[in-house]
Amino acid sequence: MTDPEHPSSDDAATRRKVMLGGLVAASILTPFATAGSEALAQGVSLSARRSGPGVQRTDFVTMKDGTEIYYKDWGKGPPIIFSHGWPLSADVWDDQMMFMASHGFRCVAFDRRGHGRSSQPWDGNNYDTFADDLAGIITSLNLRSVALVGHSAGAGDIARYIGRHGPANVSRTMLVSAIPPSMLKTASNPHGVPIEVFDAVRAGVANDRAQFYRDLGDGPFFGANRPGSKVSQGIKDAFWLWSMQVGLRASYEGVTAFSETDFTHDLTRFDMPTSIIHGGDDQNVPIASTALRSSKLIKNATLTVYEGAPHGLTVTHKDRFNADLLSFMKKNA
């Protein structure tokens, strides 16, 4: 038994290690405290988890209403923010994040409020708030001349951000299988989707969201319901897992947000190079009411149609999409 007044050499060594560890931790946390105070001045706070040279960084940004937004931050170079669609999470962008970070870009992807690892608040499931959350991330990470890439409903975040906060800090945008300018069938958008379709989506989410997400991933999202589909079971399973992370409230209200929000005015504020990529066989976001119209509303927009591609083309046509993404970012860097 060790005498506390006369510690052994092993005990003394252990204590020295504990003291040294405390000093090292204090020196590491000091920069985070400085960054946090700067973010607080902008109305958001930055909660550091891990950082350092060569380390994959993960973190949370706390918004004004207390909602914590999870993000991942990979690589170094010109910044790109990736915004995911409904009802997924930042993980759906991992292929693009790894690819672009390996080619000299800093890649940031976040979980929208209510989704993935972010908080699940009762309120705020609308595009004004989504845009403000995106602004909070850009401010907290001190991103300058940032490129914005959005898929499906995530492209709505980008459109409303530019409409609400302006285009000054945005270098370029890419809208993929995107919902803008509007999804709902109206007198001004005759090729849109009837409200009854979205009512059925809401009912599916409310009644049995697990099966609804299974049917979506196993069916139209990746074009798995088309003859000759080669999408793997693993991809479909991953889609279901990501979908099940979204809170029911956020998922249910998200349907209203992406189906009934009109981004027409937001798109008129775009003044940066914009790439619009859409699948010719997108069964979830029909190209006639979205990409074809957006390409006419946005200045400096280029439309690329992947013939036969489904809504989830970033997965099914990953190699082509990654090549197009890299080319666009380098061309307009």
Side-chain angles (χ1 to χ4, degrees), residues 249-271:
R249 168 80 167 184
S251 181
Y252 187 87
E253 291 201 329
V255 178
T256 299
F258 73 67
S259 66
E260 298 183 29
T261 302
D262 191 335
F263 301 97
T264 302
H265 176 71
D266 302 299
L267 298 185
T268 63
R269 298 202 65 187
F270 281 54
D271 64 359

Side-chain angles (χ1 to χ4, degrees), residues 39-40 42-49 58-72 108 110-111 113 118-119 132-142:
L40 280 171
Q42 300 296 325
V44 295
S45 64
L46 194 63
S47 305
R49 308 298 188 202
T58 59
D59 221 324
F60 292 81
V61 175
T62 303
M63 299 301 162
K64 294 180 180 179
D65 65 352
T67 298
E68 286 192 321
I69 301 296
Y70 168 90
Y71 73 93
K72 55 180 73 178
V108 176
F110 64 96
D111 292 349
R113 61 171 54 218
S118 293
S119 300
D132 292 348
D133 289 346
L134 177 55
I137 294 169
I138 292 173
T139 299
S140 296
L141 299 184
N142 195 30

Side-chain angles (χ1 to χ4, degrees), residues 63-323:
M63 299 301 162
K64 294 180 180 179
D65 65 352
T67 298
E68 286 192 321
I69 301 296
Y70 168 90
Y71 73 93
K72 55 180 73 178
D73 188 346
W74 296 358
K76 296 181 179 179
I80 306 172
I81 290 185
F82 293 88
S83 181
H84 68 81
W86 177 94
L88 303 171
S89 74
D91 291 349
V92 75
W93 286 115
D94 273 12
D95 287 331
Q96 286 69 46
M97 294 265 290
M98 185 168 179
F99 179 80
M100 294 301 289
S102 299
H103 283 81
F105 290 85
R106 179 182 179 185
C107 300
V108 176
F110 64 96
D111 292 349
R112 178 187 286 148
R113 61 171 54 218
H115 296 63
R117 290 137 293 199
S118 293
S119 300
Q120 296 191 8
W122 183 253
D123 296 317
N125 300 304
N126 58 77
Y127 276 99
D128 284 353
T129 306
F130 298 157
D132 292 348
D133 289 346
L134 177 55
I137 294 169
I138 292 173
T139 299
S140 296
L141 299 184
N142 195 30
L143 300 180
R144 296 288 183 268
S145 190
V146 63
L148 302 178
V149 179
H151 177 262
S152 189
D157 298 355
I158 293 171
R160 183 52 52 88
Y161 169 81
I162 292 172
R164 190 170 171 86
H165 295 275
N169 194 33
V170 181
S171 63
R172 63 200 74 88
T173 60
M174 178 176 278
L175 308 180
V176 188
S177 307
I179 64 170
S182 59
M183 284 274 288
L184 188 64
K185 181 177 181 179
T186 62
S188 60
N189 185 25
H191 297 292
V193 180
I195 189 65
E196 291 78 13
V197 173
F198 298 117
D199 289 340
V201 173
R202 272 186 286 268
V205 169
N207 295 331
D208 187 349
R209 66 187 187 279
Q211 189 60 50
F212 178 85
Y213 299 146
R214 177 68 71 191
D215 293 341
L216 181 60
D218 288 358
F221 195 94
F222 298 113
N225 57 344
R226 297 304 198 203
S229 170
K230 297 180 180 179
V231 62
S232 71
Q233 187 61 49
I235 287 174
K236 291 184 286 188
D237 288 346
F239 177 90
W240 184 83
L241 285 171
W242 294 329
S243 298
M244 287 301 296
Q245 292 180 63
V246 64
L248 179 56
R249 168 80 167 184
S251 181
Y252 187 87
E253 291 201 329
V255 178
T256 299
F258 73 67
S259 66
E260 298 183 29
T261 302
D262 191 335
F263 301 97
T264 302
H265 176 71
D266 302 299
L267 298 185
T268 63
R269 298 202 65 187
F270 281 54
D271 64 359
M272 70 296 292
T274 298
S275 172
I276 300 173
I277 296 178
H278 214 98
D281 189 32
D282 192 324
Q283 302 171 68
N284 298 109
V285 178
I287 189 172
S289 62
T290 54
L292 297 184
R293 296 172 63 213
S294 290
S295 63
K296 298 175 182 179
L297 290 168
I298 298 175
K299 302 174 184 177
N300 302 318
T302 301
L303 173 63
T304 302
V305 179
Y306 288 13
E307 294 297 337
H311 190 59
L313 62 81
T314 59
V315 174
T316 60
H317 292 63
K318 178 178 66 177
D319 292 341
R320 178 182 178 183
F321 176 74
N322 286 356

Side-chain angles (χ1 to χ4, degrees), residues 1-12 15:
M1 182 172 177
T2 302
D3 184 349
E5 294 185 0
H6 300 86
S8 67
S9 59
D10 289 343
D11 290 338
R15 292 178 183 178

